[in-house]
Amino acid sequence: MTETTTVGPVSDKKFVPAVLLCFFLGGLGVHRFYLGKIGTGILMLVTLGGLGIWTIIDFVRLIVGSLRDKNGLPLRH
């Protein structure tokens, strides 16, 4: 097996908790609060995750690795 490594700085936020928070509490934007994105977390809370659509998009982005923390750093695996 090969191990994937990220070159450069990595967030102190972890991948697995972010995915679990998005899966179970994504409609409330809890994963956004965890990643430090307070503004969009509040918007997700008010709109119930964009009626679920925004939550699904964020879940896919987390799995693919394109959703990063508030500083733009990739999540730690």
Side-chain angles (χ1 to χ4, degrees):
M1 275 191 334
T2 60
E3 188 173 316
T4 304
T5 58
T6 303
V7 178
V10 178
S11 175
D12 60 339
K13 305 298 181 188
K14 295 188 178 186
F15 172 77
V16 173
V19 170
L20 291 174
L21 286 171
C22 185
F23 185 79
F24 291 109
L25 299 170
L28 301 176
V30 176
H31 62 288
R32 288 275 179 161
F33 289 107
Y34 174 73
L35 296 176
K37 299 180 175 195
I38 306 302
T40 54
I42 292 170
L43 284 174
M44 283 193 81
L45 182 63
V46 171
T47 63
L48 295 176
L51 298 177
I53 296 170
W54 193 357
T55 304
I56 293 169
I57 292 169
D58 273 2
F59 186 74
V60 171
R61 287 185 65 204
L62 276 167
I63 297 298
V64 173
S66 70
L67 188 60
R68 298 172 176 238
D69 73 353
K70 71 175 179 177
N71 298 319
L73 298 173
L75 302 179
R76 183 177 307 278
H77 283 273

mmCIF file of all heavy atoms in Angstrom, residues 46-63:
data_model
loop_
_atom_site.group_PDB
_atom_site.id
_atom_site.type_symbol
_atom_site.label_atom_id
_atom_site.label_comp_id
_atom_site.label_asym_id
_atom_site.label_seq_id
_atom_site.Cartn_x
_atom_site.Cartn_y
_atom_site.Cartn_z
ATOM 1 N N VAL A 46 -29.452 28.680 9.590
ATOM 2 C CA VAL A 46 -30.695 29.394 9.294
ATOM 3 C C VAL A 46 -31.472 28.744 8.148
ATOM 4 O O VAL A 46 -32.697 28.669 8.183
ATOM 5 C CB VAL A 46 -30.392 30.880 8.981
ATOM 6 C CG1 VAL A 46 -31.617 31.604 8.460
ATOM 7 C CG2 VAL A 46 -29.850 31.571 10.212
ATOM 8 N N THR A 47 -30.757 28.234 7.141
ATOM 9 C CA THR A 47 -31.421 27.668 5.960
ATOM 10 C C THR A 47 -31.548 26.143 6.024
ATOM 11 O O THR A 47 -31.954 25.524 5.032
ATOM 12 C CB THR A 47 -30.656 28.031 4.675
ATOM 13 O OG1 THR A 47 -29.350 27.440 4.727
ATOM 14 C CG2 THR A 47 -30.544 29.528 4.499
ATOM 15 N N LEU A 48 -31.175 25.568 7.166
ATOM 16 C CA LEU A 48 -31.167 24.108 7.336
ATOM 17 C C LEU A 48 -30.335 23.430 6.242
ATOM 18 O O LEU A 48 -30.756 22.466 5.603
ATOM 19 C CB LEU A 48 -32.593 23.550 7.360
ATOM 20 C CG LEU A 48 -33.450 23.987 8.536
ATOM 21 C CD1 LEU A 48 -34.854 23.446 8.396
ATOM 22 C CD2 LEU A 48 -32.824 23.558 9.852
ATOM 23 N N GLY A 49 -29.135 23.950 6.077
ATOM 24 C CA GLY A 49 -28.217 23.370 5.102
ATOM 25 C C GLY A 49 -28.663 23.578 3.680
ATOM 26 O O GLY A 49 -28.431 22.736 2.820
ATOM 27 N N GLY A 50 -29.279 24.722 3.422
ATOM 28 C CA GLY A 50 -29.795 24.970 2.066
ATOM 29 C C GLY A 50 -30.825 23.938 1.680
ATOM 30 O O GLY A 50 -30.854 23.468 0.558
ATOM 31 N N LEU A 51 -31.682 23.600 2.673
ATOM 32 C CA LEU A 51 -32.703 22.561 2.529
ATOM 33 C C LEU A 51 -32.080 21.212 2.141
ATOM 34 O O LEU A 51 -32.680 20.418 1.429
ATOM 35 C CB LEU A 51 -33.779 22.975 1.528
ATOM 36 C CG LEU A 51 -34.572 24.216 1.924
ATOM 37 C CD1 LEU A 51 -35.555 24.579 0.828
ATOM 38 C CD2 LEU A 51 -35.282 24.033 3.253
ATOM 39 N N GLY A 52 -30.865 20.993 2.624
ATOM 40 C CA GLY A 52 -30.193 19.711 2.423
ATOM 41 C C GLY A 52 -29.246 19.680 1.245
ATOM 42 O O GLY A 52 -28.333 18.856 1.210
ATOM 43 N N ILE A 53 -29.437 20.575 0.292
ATOM 44 C CA ILE A 53 -28.598 20.564 -0.912
ATOM 45 C C ILE A 53 -27.168 20.974 -0.574
ATOM 46 O O ILE A 53 -26.207 20.330 -0.990
ATOM 47 C CB ILE A 53 -29.199 21.468 -1.996
ATOM 48 C CG1 ILE A 53 -30.545 20.918 -2.429
ATOM 49 C CG2 ILE A 53 -28.253 21.605 -3.186
ATOM 50 C CD1 ILE A 53 -31.343 21.838 -3.309
ATOM 51 N N TRP A 54 -27.023 22.039 0.189
ATOM 52 C CA TRP A 54 -25.715 22.539 0.586
ATOM 53 C C TRP A 54 -24.983 21.483 1.426
ATOM 54 O O TRP A 54 -23.778 21.295 1.292
ATOM 55 C CB TRP A 54 -25.901 23.826 1.374
ATOM 56 C CG TRP A 54 -24.693 24.662 1.611
ATOM 57 C CD1 TRP A 54 -23.402 24.385 1.250
ATOM 58 C CD2 TRP A 54 -24.659 25.918 2.263
ATOM 59 N NE1 TRP A 54 -22.581 25.399 1.655
ATOM 60 C CE2 TRP A 54 -23.320 26.360 2.278
ATOM 61 C CE3 TRP A 54 -25.624 26.716 2.856
ATOM 62 C CZ2 TRP A 54 -22.931 27.561 2.860
ATOM 63 C CZ3 TRP A 54 -25.230 27.913 3.423
ATOM 64 C CH2 TRP A 54 -23.905 28.330 3.429
ATOM 65 N N THR A 55 -25.719 20.785 2.246
ATOM 66 C CA THR A 55 -25.131 19.733 3.076
ATOM 67 C C THR A 55 -24.557 18.607 2.220
ATOM 68 O O THR A 55 -23.445 18.136 2.465
ATOM 69 C CB THR A 55 -26.188 19.162 4.043
ATOM 70 O OG1 THR A 55 -26.729 20.228 4.815
ATOM 71 C CG2 THR A 55 -25.593 18.119 4.950
ATOM 72 N N ILE A 56 -25.296 18.196 1.215
ATOM 73 C CA ILE A 56 -24.824 17.124 0.324
ATOM 74 C C ILE A 56 -23.574 17.581 -0.428
ATOM 75 O O ILE A 56 -22.603 16.830 -0.553
ATOM 76 C CB ILE A 56 -25.938 16.711 -0.656
ATOM 77 C CG1 ILE A 56 -27.075 16.046 0.108
ATOM 78 C CG2 ILE A 56 -25.389 15.786 -1.736
ATOM 79 C CD1 ILE A 56 -28.331 15.834 -0.708
ATOM 80 N N ILE A 57 -23.579 18.815 -0.902
ATOM 81 C CA ILE A 57 -22.419 19.351 -1.611
ATOM 82 C C ILE A 57 -21.205 19.383 -0.687
ATOM 83 O O ILE A 57 -20.096 18.977 -1.079
ATOM 84 C CB ILE A 57 -22.730 20.749 -2.185
ATOM 85 C CG1 ILE A 57 -23.766 20.632 -3.300
ATOM 86 C CG2 ILE A 57 -21.460 21.436 -2.687
ATOM 87 C CD1 ILE A 57 -24.342 21.952 -3.752
ATOM 88 N N ASP A 58 -21.385 19.855 0.542
ATOM 89 C CA ASP A 58 -20.274 19.891 1.496
ATOM 90 C C ASP A 58 -19.772 18.487 1.820
ATOM 91 O O ASP A 58 -18.569 18.271 1.951
ATOM 92 C CB ASP A 58 -20.695 20.590 2.786
ATOM 93 C CG ASP A 58 -20.506 22.095 2.735
ATOM 94 O OD1 ASP A 58 -20.080 22.607 1.677
ATOM 95 O OD2 ASP A 58 -20.778 22.749 3.750
ATOM 96 N N PHE A 59 -20.671 17.523 1.947
ATOM 97 C CA PHE A 59 -20.266 16.148 2.238
ATOM 98 C C PHE A 59 -19.381 15.604 1.119
ATOM 99 O O PHE A 59 -18.316 15.032 1.376
ATOM 100 C CB PHE A 59 -21.493 15.259 2.446
ATOM 101 C CG PHE A 59 -21.161 13.868 2.880
ATOM 102 C CD1 PHE A 59 -20.732 13.626 4.170
ATOM 103 C CD2 PHE A 59 -21.268 12.813 2.002
ATOM 104 C CE1 PHE A 59 -20.409 12.341 4.587
ATOM 105 C CE2 PHE A 59 -20.942 11.528 2.394
ATOM 106 C CZ PHE A 59 -20.515 11.288 3.693
ATOM 107 N N VAL A 60 -19.802 15.823 -0.106
ATOM 108 C CA VAL A 60 -19.006 15.355 -1.250
ATOM 109 C C VAL A 60 -17.664 16.088 -1.286
ATOM 110 O O VAL A 60 -16.611 15.476 -1.513
ATOM 111 C CB VAL A 60 -19.786 15.546 -2.570
ATOM 112 C CG1 VAL A 60 -18.897 15.279 -3.777
ATOM 113 C CG2 VAL A 60 -21.014 14.658 -2.595
ATOM 114 N N ARG A 61 -17.670 17.394 -1.045
ATOM 115 C CA ARG A 61 -16.427 18.164 -1.037
ATOM 116 C C ARG A 61 -15.482 17.691 0.056
ATOM 117 O O ARG A 61 -14.265 17.674 -0.145
ATOM 118 C CB ARG A 61 -16.718 19.648 -0.874
ATOM 119 C CG ARG A 61 -17.310 20.268 -2.130
ATOM 120 C CD ARG A 61 -17.475 21.760 -2.000
ATOM 121 N NE ARG A 61 -16.159 22.371 -1.872
ATOM 122 C CZ ARG A 61 -15.949 23.560 -1.303
ATOM 123 N NH1 ARG A 61 -16.964 24.256 -0.812
ATOM 124 N NH2 ARG A 61 -14.740 24.061 -1.224
ATOM 125 N N LEU A 62 -16.018 17.313 1.209
ATOM 126 C CA LEU A 62 -15.172 16.776 2.277
ATOM 127 C C LEU A 62 -14.532 15.462 1.860
ATOM 128 O O LEU A 62 -13.331 15.248 2.058
ATOM 129 C CB LEU A 62 -15.986 16.571 3.561
ATOM 130 C CG LEU A 62 -16.155 17.777 4.451
ATOM 131 C CD1 LEU A 62 -17.219 17.510 5.498
ATOM 132 C CD2 LEU A 62 -14.841 18.149 5.101
ATOM 133 N N ILE A 63 -15.322 14.569 1.286
ATOM 134 C CA ILE A 63 -14.820 13.259 0.869
ATOM 135 C C ILE A 63 -13.738 13.415 -0.199
ATOM 136 O O ILE A 63 -12.707 12.747 -0.162
ATOM 137 C CB ILE A 63 -15.971 12.364 0.359
ATOM 138 C CG1 ILE A 63 -16.981 12.084 1.467
ATOM 139 C CG2 ILE A 63 -15.432 11.072 -0.237
ATOM 140 C CD1 ILE A 63 -16.444 11.348 2.653
#
